[in-house]
Amino acid sequence: SLNGKKEVLRPDTLDFSEELKVFTNSGINKVSWLDRYTADTTRADDGVIQRVRYQAQDDKLRTRLVEVTYSGGIPAEVHIRNRTENILLDARQELTYRPGREVVIKQEQQIRFMKPNSLQIHLQLE
């Protein structure tokens, strides 16, 4: 949906490598960013990882949060929060991937002197 107007597309009309590029563009695996994110791991009583959370320490970084939630030691959800702020633009993006189930992309964008835009993409993978 774009600003509340919905459109339904068939999966065979989508280029998934292009549609999901926002996830790969949110990667935080750069040597220069090693000390710019804090990592926090939550484990169950038996030591199995439940969640790993990477939080940006610098508001200038586009990717502010990467959080991976596990179920039985297997990634069950990836959540990413991006934000771009400058004198002309304020853009917020929430990305959620649930393996084998769905992808949700939400974006709000405000360009100075223009009407705000809101975008939501929901891909059912089942």
Side-chain angles (χ1 to χ4, degrees):
S1 68
L2 177 61
N3 297 325
K5 295 180 183 177
K6 291 186 179 185
E7 179 181 17
V8 177
L9 299 174
R10 293 169 26 120
D12 59 345
T13 65
L14 297 174
D15 179 356
F16 283 98
S17 63
E18 276 302 309
E19 296 295 335
L20 301 178
K21 200 176 261 186
V22 293
F23 283 88
T24 57
N25 290 342
S26 299
I28 61 170
N29 192 20
K30 290 186 180 180
V31 174
S32 62
W33 291 343
L34 191 58
D35 62 344
R36 297 178 75 185
Y37 288 88
T38 58
D40 179 34
T41 302
T42 305
R43 296 179 183 272
D45 291 338
D46 61 1
V48 175
I49 294 176
Q50 292 179 316
R51 185 185 75 197
V52 178
R53 180 182 176 109
Y54 299 94
Q55 182 80 42
Q57 298 302 298
D58 183 345
D59 288 341
K60 293 179 180 155
L61 291 170
R62 179 178 168 273
T63 300
R64 304 288 174 90
L65 173 74
V66 175
E67 185 173 70
V68 181
T69 305
Y70 294 81
S71 178
I74 299 170
E77 180 177 297
V78 177
H79 180 80
I80 300 171
R81 187 178 308 136
N82 293 321
R83 184 156 186 200
T84 303
E85 292 176 279
N86 59 46
I87 197 164
L88 297 174
L89 173 71
D90 185 5
R92 298 167 191 243
Q93 195 174 55
E94 296 277 337
L95 311 172
T96 304
Y97 170 60
R98 294 179 185 98
R101 295 180 17 226
E102 67 181 346
V103 174
V104 179
I105 301 169
K106 296 179 183 178
Q107 182 169 311
E108 294 179 6
Q109 183 178 35
Q110 174 65 59
I111 299 173
R112 193 172 186 173
F113 307 118
M114 296 183 74
K115 194 170 130 180
N117 286 311
S118 174
L119 170 75
Q120 182 169 335
I121 298 172
H122 187 208
L123 300 172
Q124 287 294 130
L125 301 177
E126 300 180 291

